[in-house]
Amino acid sequence: MLFRSGSVTESISVSAAAALLDSETATVGQVVDNKRIVELPLNGRNYLELARLSAGTTSARGSRPEGEGAFSAGGQHGYQVQVNIDGVDNSLTYSGGPIGFEAQAIKPSVDAVGEFRVVTNNLSAEYGNRMGGQVFVNIKSGTNELHGTLFEFLRNSKLDGTNFFANRSGNTKPDYKQNQFGGTVGGPIRKDKTFFFGSFEGTRTRLGRSFTATVPTAEIREGNFNRVRPIFDPATTVGTPTSFTRQQFPGNIVPKSRWDPLFPKLLALYPAQTIGDASRIANNHFYAGSESNDVNSFDIKGDHNISDRSRVSGRFSRRDRDRFEPGPLPLPADGGLATTTIIDSNAIAMTHTYTFGATLTNEFRVGITDINTRFDVPYDRPLFDEYGIKGIPKTNLASSNDHGLSRFTPAGYTEIGTRSFWPNTNNQRTYQFNDTMFKSWGKHNIRFGGEFRREDIFRNAARFSRGQFAFNREFTANPANRGATADGMAEFMLGMAAGG
């Protein structure tokens, strides 16, 4: 019997699977890899929305940044969650203005995120800045091969039905157009030594808005309130504060000779009635304004292997947003709600990693995150000067209220003028330096280091600084029958404000 020796074969199998139990640390969390980030549906392409898939998390109900992906971890408030990108804090301090509605300073494209990890409990001591969960995001790096992606996502109102309010007023369907486009590219600058990676994402949204407002009819514009209710002349008031009477205006018309000198020009701001006839004194104007929202976000990252032991990485990220939301009336009447939102965010991160040996590694990191935000009004000059409103204070700050119009609120009518609290400027800059040493000692792993952090916050809000005038159906009422008499527009004509 002849036996022949068999051939020698060798194979190496590499497999990766999520550990059922982390036996090395007490940390509770989950890793979301790039495959899930890219392939799971995300309306708005915000990777942070996927953090809610982790155990122990839920949407940050009631918090302002909920719509930007903010979440609650371990029962803590959404503002207690910290987002770190490449080890640098990307979170925002609870504040007013646009910052209060944002969950992070920069927002990298989902195509630029390599993976992120959500930790919800038992955090390591090096991450002790906030009580809630932590999100650790890694931006992709270049490799020895040149790779890139391109994408375009489109939504358009031509594929949608119209809405109830446009149908009722006989107007066309409001526009809705949204384009999200961009791409990534990464590769070598010097093979095995130096690499680059870049990403860009742009969003352009145009949203038609439908507003139904109450404007003065042609008769009211002449001072005639016969179709409204009886109007009484405050100049005829006689009696005591506890018992007095007034006489009705002759013909129930406020004569133009009694009008405040500033009123005619302000009245002209109101657009003409577009719904119904002269008998329709409420909800008689339709306006289809257009909301615009332009967002750009890009990241540039470089990695360099100084030696087998030393590696340096640097990243610059930027996000800018320019949004306009119309009010219920065309500009410059506005209706007290038109708003522009400006966001400019920049972030720099530098990391140096040095390996002293098989058991000792040091990582030094420095980062600066800067976000400048402003709620503002869509005016470029002081309209209050043009309309004769005097005594409006101004400052030398860029967020001064040296533009816009005072706000006029006649009861029963849509108001005219500028939103009262804007401009509202909120800026934050965070400086961060940290150094961490990793030491393996037999079966034990030890980390030790330190961190320096500084936050500079600036806030300036214009609180009613352009003035607000309310006309509340008080001075033209019959003292014996207030509910069925008086009109806010009549008191606006007379220049008799009840408050503001």
Side-chain angles (χ1 to χ4, degrees):
M1 182 178 293
L2 180 65
F3 293 95
R4 300 181 184 276
S5 60
S7 60
V8 178
T9 61
E10 181 178 344
S11 65
I12 299 175
S13 299
V14 179
S15 62
L20 297 179
L21 178 65
D22 183 356
S23 59
E24 297 182 359
T25 71
T27 299
V28 179
Q30 178 178 340
V31 174
V32 182
D33 58 32
N34 181 259
K35 180 178 176 63
R36 282 191 287 174
I37 295 172
V38 173
E39 294 184 356
L40 286 175
L42 278 173
N43 183 17
R45 290 177 55 82
N46 181 4
Y47 74 91
L48 201 56
E49 299 278 355
L50 298 177
R52 299 172 185 171
L53 299 177
S54 302
T57 67
T58 184
S59 178
R61 299 292 183 189
S63 68
R64 288 180 171 181
E66 179 187 3
E68 288 292 324
F71 63 94
S72 172
Q76 297 292 336
H77 196 284
Y79 284 110
Q80 291 295 335
V81 172
Q82 179 166 311
V83 180
N84 307 275
I85 298 182
D86 289 334
V88 174
D89 190 359
N90 191 48
S91 306
L92 300 175
T93 299
Y94 174 66
S95 181
I99 280 184
F101 294 88
E102 296 294 319
Q104 51 188 333
I106 62 167
K107 188 192 297 182
S109 170
V110 295
D111 290 64
V113 176
E115 66 177 22
F116 69 91
R117 180 164 58 102
V118 182
V119 179
T120 58
N121 206 348
N122 296 328
L123 290 163
S124 171
E126 61 186 307
Y127 308 116
N129 190 48
R130 300 193 182 197
M131 295 186 296
Q134 297 265 348
V135 181
F136 303 96
V137 184
N138 292 325
I139 300 297
K140 291 179 179 178
S141 295
T143 64
N144 277 328
E145 300 293 332
L146 183 65
H147 294 283
T149 62
L150 289 173
F151 61 86
E152 160 76 22
F153 297 92
L154 168 69
R155 297 177 64 184
N156 197 292
S157 57
K158 294 186 182 300
L159 306 175
D160 301 333
T162 188
N163 66 55
F164 169 79
F165 298 101
N167 269 340
R168 187 180 69 169
S169 59
N171 285 271
T172 58
K173 176 173 56 179
D175 286 336
Y176 181 66
K177 300 175 183 177
Q178 178 173 291
N179 294 79
Q180 290 179 289
F181 54 91
T184 65
V185 62
I189 297 176
R190 184 181 174 190
K191 196 169 184 179
D192 295 326
K193 292 287 288 185
T194 310
F195 311 92
F196 77 94
F197 177 83
S199 75
F200 170 79
E201 180 171 312
T203 302
R204 304 291 183 268
T205 306
R206 299 296 180 267
L207 174 63
R209 301 285 300 275
S210 299
F211 297 98
T212 302
T214 298
V215 300
T217 63
E219 291 179 350
I220 293 175
R221 289 171 182 269
E222 296 298 320
N224 187 340
F225 291 88
N226 280 296
R227 294 182 186 268
V228 187
R229 62 180 68 84
I231 305 299
F232 285 72
D233 186 355
T236 63
T237 303
V238 294
T240 66
T242 58
S243 178
F244 58 93
T245 61
R246 291 187 182 122
Q247 301 299 316
Q248 188 173 350
F249 275 105
N252 212 40
I253 297 173
V254 180
K256 293 185 178 181
S257 60
R258 296 280 303 278
W259 287 12
D260 186 277
L262 304 183
F263 178 74
K265 194 171 183 178
L266 294 169
L267 176 64
L269 290 173
Y270 276 107
Q273 177 178 354
T274 61
I275 302 175
D277 56 20
S279 63
R280 180 150 186 173
I281 60 175
N283 299 321
N284 55 10
H285 181 269
F286 178 83
Y287 172 55
S290 179
E291 177 181 329
S292 63
N293 189 17
D294 296 339
V295 183
N296 298 302
S297 178
F298 68 83
D299 304 275
I300 301 173
K301 186 175 182 180
D303 298 274
H304 178 65
N305 295 320
I306 301 173
S307 67
D308 291 341
R309 292 174 175 265
S310 180
R311 178 183 177 90
V312 65
S313 176
R315 174 182 55 83
F316 173 74
S317 300
R318 175 171 172 79
R319 175 169 72 112
D320 61 78
R321 181 181 188 181
D322 188 350
R323 182 181 184 184
F324 168 69
E325 299 170 88
L329 296 175
L331 295 175
D334 186 345
L337 293 177
T339 298
T340 60
T341 303
I342 306 296
I343 297 178
D344 288 307
S345 302
N346 299 282
I348 299 173
M350 296 291 294
T351 303
H352 178 249
T353 304
Y354 190 85
T355 302
F356 293 94
T359 62
L360 184 62
T361 301
N362 186 77
E363 187 175 76
F364 173 76
R365 181 176 290 110
V366 58
I368 302 175
T369 303
D370 183 63
I371 178 169
N372 300 307
T373 71
R374 184 173 75 256
F375 280 144
D376 211 336
V377 294
Y379 303 88
D380 58 2
R381 64 186 193 277
L383 289 179
F384 45 79
D385 283 345
E386 298 178 18
Y387 285 83
I389 311 299
K390 305 298 182 181
I392 305 298
K394 301 175 185 178
T395 70
N396 294 323
L397 299 173
S399 56
S400 171
N401 59 314
D402 59 356
H403 53 293
L405 181 63
S406 303
R407 192 170 180 175
F408 301 89
T409 310
Y413 300 83
T414 301
E415 57 193 344
I416 57 173
T418 304
R419 197 158 190 159
S420 300
F421 281 23
W422 307 160
N424 187 340
T425 298
N426 287 261
N427 303 332
Q428 177 181 328
R429 175 173 292 179
T430 302
Y431 302 88
Q432 184 178 347
F433 303 85
N434 62 55
D435 190 271
T436 305
M437 189 79 75
F438 306 85
K439 173 67 177 176
S440 294
W441 208 324
K443 295 183 179 181
H444 303 282
N445 294 319
I446 301 175
R447 296 188 184 192
F448 53 93
E451 177 180 90
F452 170 82
R453 180 189 299 259
R454 173 188 171 96
E455 287 187 2
D456 294 335
I457 298 175
F458 170 82
R459 186 178 189 191
N460 183 55
R463 302 294 190 187
F464 299 104
S465 55
R466 282 179 299 271
Q468 181 172 2
F469 304 88
F471 305 93
N472 295 339
R473 291 181 54 195
E474 295 183 17
F475 301 108
T476 58
N478 179 1
N481 190 8
R482 291 181 176 274
T485 59
D487 188 83
M489 188 61 64
E491 295 179 14
F492 191 5
M493 291 176 176
L494 296 168
M496 303 188 72

